[in-house]
Amino acid sequence: MMVNRLMVKNWRNFPRIDVPMKERQFLVGPNASGKSNLLDVFRFLRDIATTEGGGLQKAVKDRGGVSKLRCLAARRDPEIVIETHLSQSAEAEPEWRYSIGIKQEARGKRQTYLTHERVWQGEHQILDRPDADDKLDRDRLTQTYLEQINANQKFRDIAQFFQSVTYLHLVPQLLRFADSFQGTLENDPFGQGFLERIAKTTGRTQSSRLSKIEEALKIAVPQLQQLKFIRDDVTGRPHLQALYSHWRPQAGWQREDQFSDGTLRLIGLLWSLLEADSLLLLEEPELSLNAGIVAELAPLIHRMQRMRHRQVLVSTHSDALLTEAGIDGREVLVFSAAREGTEVKLASDFDEVRVLLANGFTVGEAVLPRTKPESAGRLGAIQ
């Protein structure tokens, strides 16, 4: 299942969004235009749907409260709305539609409450809140049915879909020096517990994935010959170990704390692509990677997602990542910062982009110049 349409109102820096989505969707735009905020829509829904340690109130609190989520342009209408359409493919009619609206109490406890929660299965609406019970007991509106097992039985497919959303923005330093940091963030978005994820994978699956990753690393990382998972004999802690070519046999073994940033990020990316068939959110996967490798990421993502029928959303600033001739203008969302917030449109909605693509330009060449700040050239003049 995948998201084939996203609609939001007053979410962070977006007054309104209404965009169709593909199996592979690239997000491009200037710095601070909202690419991470759009990805966070799906992390927010995941956090609501999480039955243990999750729910609406915690998802809002973890983001600083409604005032931090609400668009600054929402002066007269403070309601935040998220609606998603779920289907088996980008072209198919939605099997499910889920819509949630939230506000904050104007006084008192200042709790977050639902203005609505609605679910459609096909064309049939199966949930419409507030209902009669909600009107008798307003405290019920502080929780969604999405997070309640006893209440979401009729649309549990939606809850399970959101619960499985995966986000990765691996920070190599957190992986190298994991023992030096106190605690781990929920859902481990930055890869601090990445080695534990590998360790918890069953032997055959772990071996298969690492074998495929090793094959890719032999191409991308000079002199790398072998990759394997081990546990420290003394501490029992998990490690990745790579063998590099060396004039002394067996002298070229290194552990992950000696890997380059690019190697660690590439391992994390490949593992995530192999790990599941859930919605995968990737934040600037090109960081620390050679441009030649980055140019192969889009076709790699396409091949691997087709095998697992999964949807992948990628934020990027990289021209190299968008060089693949097969990237369709409908696969690219363009973020444009305006006075009242950010607008999001498909690249194919711009006439000049369609002309450039029709004349053989890559998506990167056709789209990225639109995202360059008008005064960027002035940076070079600063003394």
Side-chain angles (χ1 to χ4, degrees):
M1 198 153 61
M2 62 165 285
V3 179
N4 73 350
R5 186 178 178 185
L6 173 66
M7 304 163 67
V8 304
K9 184 183 79 170
N10 293 336
W11 172 264
R12 295 191 183 268
N13 50 334
F14 305 111
R16 287 188 181 273
I17 300 176
D18 185 355
V19 290
M21 305 195 79
K22 306 294 264 183
E23 286 87 352
R24 182 182 60 171
Q25 198 77 54
F26 299 96
L27 284 55
V28 302
N31 290 319
S33 59
K35 299 182 294 298
S36 296
N37 287 342
L38 188 141
L39 294 180
D40 194 45
V41 169
F42 302 104
R43 296 171 65 190
F44 180 70
L45 291 170
R46 178 197 63 193
D47 294 349
I48 291 175
T50 300
T51 54
E52 295 185 11
L56 175 63
Q57 298 302 318
K58 186 173 189 301
V60 172
K61 182 180 178 181
D62 287 348
R63 289 163 175 80
V66 170
S67 63
K68 299 294 185 182
L69 293 177
R70 185 175 55 238
C71 180
L72 294 177
R75 291 179 287 271
R76 297 183 179 178
D77 179 10
E79 181 189 36
I80 299 171
V81 176
I82 299 173
E83 181 172 328
T84 58
H85 295 195
L86 308 179
S87 66
Q88 293 300 322
S89 70
E91 291 73 27
E93 291 296 318
E95 295 182 11
W96 296 100
R97 291 162 54 196
Y98 180 80
S99 179
I100 181 176
I102 61 173
K103 284 185 179 180
Q104 186 179 53
E105 288 179 322
R107 55 187 62 86
K109 296 180 180 178
R110 305 282 288 170
Q111 279 188 304
T112 303
Y113 68 94
L114 293 168
T115 57
H116 73 261
E117 185 180 25
R118 300 169 186 144
V119 178
W120 292 263
Q121 185 174 20
E123 295 299 320
H124 178 56
Q125 187 170 6
I126 61 176
L127 178 67
D128 187 9
R129 301 181 66 194
D131 57 23
D133 292 332
D134 294 328
K135 292 173 182 176
L136 291 174
D137 182 1
R138 186 176 172 81
D139 284 347
R140 288 167 51 91
L141 293 175
T142 62
Q143 290 187 329
T144 65
Y145 278 12
L146 187 69
E147 67 201 75
Q148 301 176 47
I149 294 176
N150 292 335
N152 68 22
Q153 183 176 8
K154 292 183 178 180
F155 57 97
R156 196 164 295 157
D157 286 354
I158 299 177
Q160 291 172 345
F161 175 82
F162 290 138
Q163 288 167 10
S164 67
V165 169
T166 302
Y167 170 88
L168 180 73
H169 185 41
L170 192 145
V171 177
Q173 288 75 16
L174 283 178
L175 181 55
R176 289 197 192 97
F177 309 112
D179 295 339
S180 302
F181 296 93
Q182 296 294 323
T184 302
L185 290 175
E186 289 186 52
N187 300 302
D188 191 30
F190 305 120
Q192 185 180 352
F194 178 65
L195 295 178
E196 290 293 344
R197 280 167 57 185
I198 296 177
K200 292 176 182 178
T201 308
T202 57
R204 182 177 296 181
T205 300
Q206 180 191 101
S207 177
S208 174
R209 290 177 186 169
L210 289 178
S211 177
K212 292 175 182 177
I213 293 172
E214 178 188 283
E215 182 182 352
L217 292 179
K218 287 179 180 178
I219 298 170
V221 182
Q223 299 183 315
L224 188 141
Q225 296 181 330
Q226 188 177 347
L227 179 72
K228 66 180 182 180
F229 174 83
I230 63 168
R231 282 193 179 276
D232 189 286
D233 292 336
V234 178
T235 65
R237 292 174 179 166
H239 292 283
L240 285 174
Q241 195 171 39
L243 177 64
Y244 292 81
S245 58
H246 193 274
W247 65 272
R248 290 174 55 200
Q250 306 301 312
W253 284 104
Q254 295 182 3
R255 287 190 176 181
E256 73 281 342
D257 60 351
Q258 296 174 287
F259 292 2
S260 71
D261 286 6
T263 299
L264 288 172
R265 287 183 61 85
L266 186 56
I267 290 172
L269 169 64
L270 293 168
W271 182 272
S272 295
L273 287 167
L274 291 165
E275 193 170 32
D277 57 2
S278 60
L279 172 62
L280 175 61
L281 313 174
L282 297 176
E283 191 109 42
E284 298 182 24
E286 70 270 14
L287 294 179
S288 304
L289 295 178
N290 177 275
I293 300 301
V294 174
E296 298 301 322
L297 291 184
L300 173 68
I301 290 170
H302 178 71
R303 289 194 300 272
M304 297 183 79
Q305 72 177 159
R306 286 297 183 183
M307 289 189 293
R308 286 162 181 78
H309 304 288
R310 77 183 308 186
Q311 188 175 24
V312 183
L313 275 59
V314 185
S315 71
T316 183
H317 290 282
S318 172
D319 177 51
L321 195 148
L322 298 172
T323 55
E324 185 201 344
I327 299 177
D328 190 294
R330 294 170 296 176
E331 291 183 284
V332 181
L333 293 177
V334 182
F335 291 62
S336 304
R339 184 177 179 84
E340 289 293 300
T342 297
E343 297 177 352
V344 182
K345 297 174 64 176
L346 293 175
S348 57
D349 287 342
F350 296 95
D351 293 338
E352 57 271 36
V353 171
R354 289 200 302 271
V355 171
L356 291 173
L357 293 177
N359 282 277
F361 283 73
T362 67
V363 166
E365 293 168 333
V367 174
L368 288 183
R370 301 185 62 89
T371 70
K372 180 181 177 180
E374 293 181 5
S375 58
R378 295 170 55 190
L379 283 174
I382 296 177
Q383 298 181 1

